[in-house]
Every structure is written in structure tokens, then in C-alpha cells.
Amino acid sequence: GGTSVVSQPPAEPHPLLTPHLERVAPMDDFFKPTKPEYQFEGRREPVEQALMSGREAWWKLAQLLPSVPQASGAAGAHEASLRGEAAFRMIENHEAVLRDVCNPSKTHNIIGIPLKQAELVRVPMEGAYYASQCMREVCRRLIGDKPGTEACKENLDGTPDAAKVWVATCLYLMCRIQAHKDEMPGRAPDYAYNAVFPMRAVLQEVALHAMGMGPQ
């Protein structure tokens, strides 16, 4: 007789790979208050202003989750669940990410702990508005082609400063984010393992776009 095959129940999806927001709270409730430890060296006004001016745009992106299978450009080569994980993580943690990208300290991170990747080049604080804008465009592309994403498109304003900050933001995050503990011993991974790949791919695409070499 033939060999019997015992069917296995389907594996439960990894919670990090199925991000969703069943209900988006009102904007005033959606973002948690700034953690006091973020301001241990005092307020950094360009960053505070970028966070405040970008609140509505970040909220609109959150409403567009989850990601959909259809996606243009670099995002199209990656599964929607992985793109969704990457976008969700950045949207959820955009304040900490922006503060990290624009951290002026050469020795300590945004909560006063010694830097583990001090060699990475961060974005000057004065570029916080453009850095936040760039991060939103990365998330928008990761979400995919669905109603509402085109209205959230972020555009370069044509100035050299904007393009430089977009490129610097992408390069920093491409080096900064990690998927496995061995990439940076002593620091927890930022994403579920496979979700880093769509994030890095779209960061590279947006950097090329800012240099006038990638998809618009």
C-alpha cells in the first residue's frame, strides 16, 4: 500500500508578519506622548517641529495599513505581509526613528545610552523635516498600490538640501536597521528577519529617486 501522509495543521502566522490596524484611533490619541527620556539633553526644536507638522501625514499612512499584494517599483518584488511589517514598524515608531536619524550626539543615543554604531553618519537636526518626509515616502511605497496612497505621496521640493537629506536618511537607515542579533551583537533586531529586505530595497529605491536616478 501507499505511504500514509499525516496532515499537519497550518502554522499560525507570525504576529509580526501580519500587522494590521482594525481601528485607527483619533489622531490626538494615536501617537503616544513624547517619552521624557527622549529630551534628556533638552528639546531639539527642528525635530520637535518636524514631528508636530508631520502628525497628520503619519496618521493618514497608518489608516492605509495593511499592505496589499499590488505594489510598484522595488516593493513589488516582496510579499505584502513583509512589506506591511516593515511599514507598520516605522509608522508606529516614527518618533524614535526620526530622533535617531537626526541625533546630533557623537557618543550617546536618544535616551542617553552609549552609541553602538557611532561610525554611522546621521542627518543634521536642521534636516528633520525632510528626513520625516523621506521616511513617510518609504512607508507609502511599502504599503502598495491601493486607494489613498497616491494622495499621501511625498515629493522633493527641488532644493539640493531636500535631496541630500533624503539620500542621507536612506543610507543611514539601510545601515542602521537589523534583522538578526548577530548583525549587531548586544542590540535587539528592529524587524522580523525577512521584513528587513523590503525595507532596505525601498530605502535604496528612494535614495536613487532623490539622486534623480530612480522611479518617481
Side-chain angles (χ1 to χ4, degrees), residues 47 50-51 93-103 128 131-132 135:
V47 179
L51 288 168
N93 297 303
H94 75 272
E95 178 183 354
V97 175
L98 181 63
R99 290 184 184 280
D100 179 43
V101 168
C102 299
N103 178 18
S132 183
M135 288 161 50

Side-chain angles (χ1 to χ4, degrees), residues 3-65:
T3 302
S4 62
V5 177
V6 178
S7 61
Q8 297 293 329
E12 288 294 321
H14 192 294
L16 292 181
L17 301 186
T18 54
H20 65 282
L21 295 177
E22 295 179 354
R23 181 184 68 85
V24 176
M27 186 169 64
D28 286 344
D29 299 332
F30 183 72
F31 298 114
K32 299 174 183 176
T34 294
K35 295 180 180 179
E37 56 265 36
Y38 286 163
Q39 298 190 355
F40 75 102
E41 289 186 339
R43 287 173 58 85
R44 292 167 173 167
E45 287 305 327
V47 179
E48 312 303 334
Q49 291 169 13
L51 288 168
M52 183 58 66
S53 66
R55 288 180 72 205
E56 183 175 358
W58 281 110
W59 183 63
K60 287 179 179 178
L61 278 177
Q63 290 181 305
L64 290 173
L65 289 168

Side-chain angles (χ1 to χ4, degrees), residues 17-188:
L17 301 186
T18 54
H20 65 282
L21 295 177
E22 295 179 354
R23 181 184 68 85
V24 176
M27 186 169 64
D28 286 344
D29 299 332
F30 183 72
F31 298 114
K32 299 174 183 176
T34 294
K35 295 180 180 179
E37 56 265 36
Y38 286 163
Q39 298 190 355
F40 75 102
E41 289 186 339
R43 287 173 58 85
R44 292 167 173 167
E45 287 305 327
V47 179
E48 312 303 334
Q49 291 169 13
L51 288 168
M52 183 58 66
S53 66
R55 288 180 72 205
E56 183 175 358
W58 281 110
W59 183 63
K60 287 179 179 178
L61 278 177
Q63 290 181 305
L64 290 173
L65 289 168
S67 293
V68 293
Q70 299 76 29
S72 303
H78 299 271
E79 293 181 16
S81 62
L82 300 177
R83 289 188 279 106
E85 149 74 355
F88 177 77
R89 286 293 178 187
M90 184 170 284
I91 292 170
E92 182 184 41
N93 297 303
H94 75 272
E95 178 183 354
V97 175
L98 181 63
R99 290 184 184 280
D100 179 43
V101 168
C102 299
N103 178 18
S105 176
K106 303 295 184 184
T107 57
H108 291 79
N109 71 8
I110 60 174
I111 59 172
I113 297 173
L115 289 174
K116 294 185 180 295
Q117 294 170 287
E119 73 282 1
L120 298 183
V121 178
R122 289 166 169 80
V123 173
M125 276 196 300
E126 292 70 25
Y129 172 83
Y130 292 132
S132 183
Q133 188 184 47
C134 173
M135 288 161 50
R136 289 194 297 272
E137 178 60 13
V138 169
C139 292
R140 186 191 72 84
R141 296 186 185 206
L142 286 166
I143 289 170
D145 302 332
K146 65 190 298 186
T149 54
E150 191 63 25
C152 291
K153 184 175 182 178
E154 299 284 351
N155 296 298
L156 288 161
D157 64 8
T159 65
D161 285 347
K164 287 178 183 177
V165 169
W166 276 40
V167 172
T169 299
C170 290
L171 292 179
Y172 174 76
L173 290 173
M174 286 171 65
C175 297
R176 174 68 164 152
I177 59 175
Q178 67 182 88
H180 193 276
K181 60 183 177 61
D182 291 342
E183 289 186 313
M184 178 50 60
R187 181 171 172 262

